[in-house]
């Protein structure tokens, strides 16, 4: 009898331990994040404060994490995938790695910023722009990204390495907007102008231009404003390329999120997505990151060019995934560093 009671007590304790473990599991979400922590932590911490659900960020490049998610399949620990590139998000969608998101969240994001089947949502948008040194007077000929291939910029131009996901996405937009031949020539011109000197971070390009080591650089817009926050008198300005009636418009991209097909915490994951597209979450992207919110009605930071004033290339973001390989073929053919 005593033995039976002991066994029953042990079973009860084990059951309680299991319940406690499950509760703890439900209070944590694992996010495969292809963005730097500085862009994600503020909104993740705000969500945790509201919900009590902890967000664990596993960081690497968006492409690496997408491959990891695919290889792990149903064994993955990832509840969500967060990418700095719509191309990877769309590729993951086409590989069947994600599940559709609730209409309540999806409808808050304009159709141009999300997957056609709502398996991913764009959270914040950014523009590919030029950072210019204001002390240099002979740059009036630079009005388009294609002008960066001009031989007059040899040794004066800063770009990221061609494996950078923003570089690949931007090149894909240019290829779809202007054609493969023009984009190939552009890549060759960039290569001629930079030689083997490329950067691993956009912020380093902005710093080099501000210090007068370079005259112009191709970067995402918010890096310029971040630099000016730290050094308000830096001799740099932003140039929106390819504007006007004849311009193709800037390359636009989004950071976005998807819920893993194999998450065991679907409700908690969807709560996180709902917070990311809430007014509070979107304001964090606007105010802290100085990106463009994807939810209508949430204004961008006051000093950013108004979205309505920016001409954007007419390339659906859902095309960035399917056309990625064609872009990589061009990059490889040119031998971009």
């Amino acid at each position: 009898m005593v033995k039976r009671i002991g066994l029953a007590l042990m079973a009860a304790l084990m059951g309680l331990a299991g319940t406690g473990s499950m509760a703890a599991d439900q209070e944590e979400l694992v996010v495969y994040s292809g963005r730097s922590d500085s862009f994600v932590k503020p909104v993740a911490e705000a969500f945790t404060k509201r919900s009590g659900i902890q967000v664990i960020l596993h960081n690497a490049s968006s492409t690496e994490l997408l491959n990891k998610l695919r290889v792990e399949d149903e064994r993955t620990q990832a509840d969500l995938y967060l990418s700095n590139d719509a191309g990877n998000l769309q590729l993951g969608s086409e590989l069947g790695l994600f599940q559709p998101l609730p209409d309540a969240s999806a409808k808050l994001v304009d159709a141009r910023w999300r997957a056609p089947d709502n398996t991913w949502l764009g959270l914040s948008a950014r523009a590919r722009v030029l950072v210019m040194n204001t002390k240099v007077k002979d740059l009036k000929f630079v009005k388009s990204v294609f002008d960066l291939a001009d031989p007059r910029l040899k040794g004066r131009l800063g770009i990221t390495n061609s494996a950078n996901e923003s570089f690949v996405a931007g090149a894909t937009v240019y290829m779809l907007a202007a054609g493969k031949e023009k984009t190939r020539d552009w890549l060759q011109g960039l290569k001629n102008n930079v030689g083997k000197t490329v950067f691993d971070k956009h912020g380093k390009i902005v710093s080099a231009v501000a210090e007068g080591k370079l005259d112009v650089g191709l970067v995402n817009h918010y890096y310029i404003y971040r630099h000016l926050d730290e050094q308000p008198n830096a001799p740099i300005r932003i140039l929106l390329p390819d504007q006007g009636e004849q311009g193709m418009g800037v390359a636009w991209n989004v950071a976005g999120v998807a819920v893993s097909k194999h998450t065991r915490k679907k409700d908690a994951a969807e709560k996180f997505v709902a917070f990311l597209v809430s007014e509070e979450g979107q304001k964090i992207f606007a105010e802290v990151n100085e990106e463009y919110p994807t939810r209508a009605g949430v204004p961008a930071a006051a000093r950013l060019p108004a979205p309505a004033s920016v001409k954007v290339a007419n390339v659906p973001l859902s095309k960035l995934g399917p056309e990625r390989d064609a872009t990589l073929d061009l990059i490889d053919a040119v031998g971009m560093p």
Side-chain angles (χ1 to χ4, degrees):
M1 182 73 175
V2 174
K3 186 175 180 180
R4 288 181 180 178
I5 293 173
L7 291 173
L9 178 60
M10 183 178 295
L13 289 172
M14 290 176 66
L16 286 172
T19 302
S21 175
M22 185 179 295
D25 286 346
Q26 290 174 341
E27 294 175 357
E28 277 189 0
L29 287 171
V30 174
V31 180
Y32 282 5
S33 175
R35 301 211 77 189
S36 299
D37 278 357
S38 60
F39 291 106
V40 183
K41 271 192 173 181
V43 73
E45 289 172 351
F47 170 71
T48 297
K49 186 176 180 180
R50 290 281 185 186
S51 67
I53 300 171
Q54 296 292 322
V55 178
I56 311 300
L57 301 173
H58 289 190
N59 298 96
S61 80
S62 293
T63 300
E64 290 171 348
L65 290 171
L66 188 67
N67 289 333
K68 180 177 171 65
L69 198 62
R70 178 168 54 179
V71 170
E72 289 174 342
D73 196 37
E74 63 185 15
R75 303 186 311 276
T76 188
Q77 297 300 306
D79 300 300
L80 300 105
Y81 171 75
L82 199 154
S83 174
N84 63 350
D85 170 42
N88 277 305
L89 287 160
Q90 185 60 31
L91 182 57
S93 177
E94 293 175 6
L95 289 170
L97 301 179
F98 310 140
Q99 53 184 282
L101 291 160
D103 288 343
S105 292
K107 70 180 182 181
L108 298 175
V109 177
D110 190 280
R112 60 179 172 158
W113 305 129
R114 52 183 162 91
D117 59 358
N118 294 337
T119 48
W120 60 265
L121 303 182
L123 302 175
S124 58
R126 61 188 184 274
R128 293 287 278 169
V129 303
L130 307 182
V131 56
M132 315 284 283
N133 187 298
T134 57
K135 293 182 178 180
V136 180
K137 304 303 181 185
D138 66 339
L139 293 176
K140 292 183 179 179
F141 69 93
V142 179
K143 297 179 180 178
S144 165
V145 291
F146 292 108
D147 293 330
L148 299 180
D150 192 299
R152 285 176 283 182
L153 292 179
K154 187 174 181 66
R156 305 167 63 189
L157 170 67
I159 62 172
T160 60
N161 63 69
S162 61
N164 180 277
E165 284 153 355
S166 288
F167 185 93
V168 175
T172 303
V173 171
Y174 308 145
M175 179 185 71
L176 294 175
K180 287 186 178 181
E181 184 175 351
K182 186 170 183 177
T183 304
R184 184 188 297 109
D185 291 344
W186 174 72
L187 289 169
Q188 186 63 59
L190 292 188
K191 181 182 177 183
N192 294 342
N193 284 342
V194 302
K196 295 182 179 179
T197 305
V198 292
F199 293 80
D200 61 346
K201 300 286 184 182
H202 291 83
K204 293 180 181 179
I205 297 174
V206 177
S207 294
V209 173
E211 294 165 6
K213 296 176 181 177
L214 296 171
D215 295 340
V216 59
L218 177 62
V219 298
N220 293 334
H221 77 269
Y222 44 78
Y223 288 97
I224 300 172
Y225 296 104
R226 286 188 162 199
H227 189 93
L228 289 171
D229 282 339
E230 297 176 1
Q231 300 183 43
N233 297 319
I236 56 174
R237 67 180 178 90
I238 186 172
L239 174 68
L240 295 171
D242 299 287
Q243 300 298 288
E245 186 176 346
Q246 301 302 317
M248 69 176 172
V250 299
W252 207 254
N253 202 351
V254 294
V257 70
V259 172
S260 169
K261 178 181 178 180
H262 299 295
T263 181
R264 300 165 186 83
K265 304 168 189 174
K266 181 179 179 180
D267 289 346
E270 290 180 350
K271 285 180 182 178
F272 186 39
V273 173
F275 182 79
L276 293 173
V277 297
S278 70
E279 288 191 7
E280 182 179 355
Q282 289 285 289
K283 285 178 180 177
I284 293 173
F285 288 118
E287 295 169 5
V288 177
N289 296 349
E290 298 201 85
E291 297 175 290
Y292 288 94
T294 56
R295 175 173 173 154
V298 179
R303 63 179 174 174
L304 268 61
S309 71
V310 181
K311 184 175 183 179
V312 178
N314 187 25
V315 176
L317 295 183
S318 59
K319 292 287 188 181
L320 298 187
E323 298 295 336
R324 181 185 177 90
D325 284 348
T327 303
L328 294 175
D329 288 343
L330 281 182
I331 289 171
D332 290 342
V334 172
M336 288 294 296

